[in-house]
Amino acid sequence: MISKSQQQTTDVSVGEPIETDAVIIGAGPVGLFAVFELGLVDIKAHVVDILDKPGGQCAELYPEKPIYDIPAFPEISGQELTDNLLAQIKPFEPTFHFQQRVDALQKLPDGRFQLTTDIGQVFITKVVVIAAGGGSFTPKKPPYPGIADYEGRSVFYAVRQREQFRGKDILIVGGGDSALDWVLNLQPIARSMKLLHRRENFRAAPDSVNKMRALVEAGKMEFHLGQITALHGENGQLTGVTARHGKGPEFEIACDTLLPFFGLTMKLGPIAEWGLNLHENLIPVDTEKFETSIPGIYAIGDINTYPGKLKLILSGFHEAALMAHSAHRVVHPDKTLRFQYTTSSSSLQKKLGVKAS
Amino acid sequence: MPKITFIEFNGTEHVVEGEVGQTLMEVAVKHSIPGIEAECGGACACATCHVYVDEAWLEKTGTPKDTEEDMLDFAFDVRDNSRLSCQIKVTEELDGLVVRLPEKQY
């Protein structure tokens, strides 16, 4: 269920700066519906998300779990909701930028905003819509004593450049898809590959597990049962770890590179540094426009707060509609917005690509 | 109402009352027990409500299902008595239950 996002990061490329009307941060249900509401008022949107697919928590945490409080859907799974939203916003042709996190936000002298992602993609936009939910999904860091000293030098939580691991003595820890996928992906270029996992069973796809076991059989890698109890090395360079399986004896595993894969957790991240006067890690907004303390920057869905706020998907949908009407004034200041219904407005139906009856 | 004791990693004890039918995670969140994150809200999808069940209670709490055991792959320092508290339902039988919290959930 946890994505292979870490594995596919190498496919992401940085292009020229993109000028646009709106950038939506977060491709969860509320970010997706914001594409729809913005589209109805003639605002094109780019959508940035750290995951490798749309849906946010719905797709990452509970794709198969039923949700019971989406209006008019007595029961719908996280994945179905995501798929339906994607179908609904299709006429507005949003551009998705996956596996990227918006790190910097800056106001430009002409009133627009410049956003820069962690891989250096730049957006120049008239409005920013923060629909970042519980924050961005980031790898969990295990509590091995002293691990911080090794991070970035010999301990990594994601693979950004595969070549960096050529010729290394790699120890991968974990039993999920990321762990197994990287075992198989890096084994051919590593000097040695070892996998450490707490049990004989794996949550990863059986096919990957079988491939890993075949490599072990062929003497091309090692598999150890256990969990790390200590790291060894100095000046940030790992030389090995101590591990233990259950109440068994401790043993040493030599390695110069450690990749722990324990799934993802949500962290607010750089949004905290954008001057939005956060309140308990949430972004305060008004309830008329869902605008933040900075005009032109909106926050909708789980990430915002206001009196009476409920963290429900349906509340986020409502917030997206009101946000879009306010954003229209910023993006198209010369045009008057007339309130219309999709059931009867031929101009809205034209935008949606449906025939007027 | 069944009494549940949560013991933080630093030894701080919290004795709280649970309601039959709630999950242990819900009891912890309701009483703001530090160290239970429950990021996914009880979907058995995040492993941030990891607890160690006191050995004396293991029989009554039962054993994890496959999905829970799989999810425990994402928890740290997993032991024989590791459970995800969102997968344990409070019953009258669990009156007096003691669980300990791990050093770190994520």
Side-chain angles (χ1 to χ4, degrees), chain A residues 291-319:
Chain A
E291 200 168 41
T292 67
S293 57
I294 303 177
I297 304 181
Y298 300 85
I300 56 176
D302 284 359
I303 193 108
N304 75 13
T305 183
Y306 52 82
K309 169 72 181 182
L310 292 178
K311 285 191 187 188
L312 294 175
I313 292 172
L314 70 93
S315 308
F317 289 167
H318 159 80
E319 295 160 18

Side-chain angles (χ1 to χ4, degrees), chain A residues 140-141 198-199 227 265, chain B residues 39 46 69-70 78 104:
Chain A
K140 284 188 195 171
K141 299 182 174 187
R198 69 181 184 92
R199 57 182 185 137
Q227 299 178 85
T265 182
Chain B
E39 220 168 57
C46 72
E69 195 63 67
D70 275 354
V78 177
K104 200 168 178 277

Side-chain angles (χ1 to χ4, degrees), chain A residues 20-214:
Chain A
T20 181
D21 289 339
V23 171
I24 299 168
I25 301 173
V30 173
L32 294 179
F33 195 64
V35 171
F36 183 85
E37 289 295 334
L38 288 170
L40 285 183
V41 298
D42 300 316
I43 300 175
K44 286 277 271 185
H46 285 255
V47 187
V48 184
D49 197 290
I50 188 79
L51 296 176
D52 63 352
K53 57 182 181 296
Q57 291 180 50
C58 285
E60 184 66 29
L61 287 181
Y62 47 89
E64 285 147 35
K65 304 262 171 184
I67 310 169
Y68 300 102
D69 61 352
I70 304 297
F73 286 95
E75 180 181 334
I76 187 167
S77 74
Q79 192 56 52
E80 284 168 334
L81 181 72
T82 303
D83 293 343
N84 282 358
L85 283 163
L86 287 172
Q88 194 167 21
I89 66 176
K90 201 157 181 277
F92 301 112
E93 299 172 336
T95 313
F96 288 102
H97 304 267
F98 291 118
Q99 296 172 259
Q100 293 184 57
R101 187 181 71 186
V102 177
D103 274 2
L105 179 149
Q106 196 186 345
K107 184 147 187 160
L108 298 174
D110 67 2
R112 293 186 296 172
F113 300 95
Q114 177 172 315
L115 305 181
T116 312
T117 70
D118 57 343
I119 61 162
Q121 177 66 53
V122 171
F123 297 91
I124 313 271
T125 181
K126 291 177 184 166
V127 296
V128 178
V129 180
I130 304 173
S136 84
F137 280 96
T138 47
K140 284 188 195 171
K141 299 182 174 187
Y144 310 144
I147 192 166
D149 300 342
Y150 300 99
E151 288 170 359
R153 175 129 182 238
S154 50
V155 171
F156 304 90
Y157 302 104
V159 177
R160 289 249 144 176
Q161 286 173 319
R162 181 172 177 263
E163 274 306 306
Q164 179 189 351
F165 299 97
R166 184 174 291 278
K168 298 288 187 188
D169 294 309
I170 303 174
L171 173 63
I172 289 181
V173 185
D177 281 316
S178 289
L180 271 288
D181 288 349
W182 281 116
V183 163
L184 301 176
N185 188 302
L186 295 178
Q187 185 274 329
I189 64 165
R191 188 162 75 173
S192 67
M193 173 60 76
K194 290 159 187 164
L195 173 66
L196 178 69
H197 181 45
R198 69 181 184 92
R199 57 182 185 137
E200 281 289 356
N201 291 328
F202 290 79
R203 57 173 283 122
D207 182 52
S208 314
V209 177
N210 292 340
K211 284 182 181 151
M212 181 275 295
R213 292 202 191 278

Side-chain angles (χ1 to χ4, degrees), chain B residues 10 18 88:
Chain B
N10 67 14
I88 299 175

Side-chain angles (χ1 to χ4, degrees), chain A residues 1-2 57 60-62 65 137 140-144 174-177 197-199 201-204 227 246-247 261-267, chain B residues 37 39-48 55 66-82 87 103-106:
Chain A
M1 182 189 335
I2 291 290
Q57 291 180 50
E60 184 66 29
L61 287 181
Y62 47 89
K65 304 262 171 184
F137 280 96
K140 284 188 195 171
K141 299 182 174 187
Y144 310 144
D177 281 316
H197 181 45
R198 69 181 184 92
R199 57 182 185 137
N201 291 328
F202 290 79
R203 57 173 283 122
Q227 299 178 85
K247 294 185 172 75
F261 292 109
F262 285 91
L264 305 173
T265 182
M266 284 175 282
K267 287 251 162 66
Chain B
E37 302 297 331
E39 220 168 57
C40 77
C44 194
C46 72
T48 62
E55 307 283 342
D66 285 353
T67 48
E68 181 184 345
E69 195 63 67
D70 275 354
M71 206 59 233
L72 279 167
D73 280 358
F74 286 162
F76 303 130
D77 193 8
V78 177
R79 303 174 194 168
D80 289 344
N81 57 340
S82 283
Q87 302 301 307
E103 180 181 3
K104 200 168 178 277
Q105 296 281 7
Y106 60 83

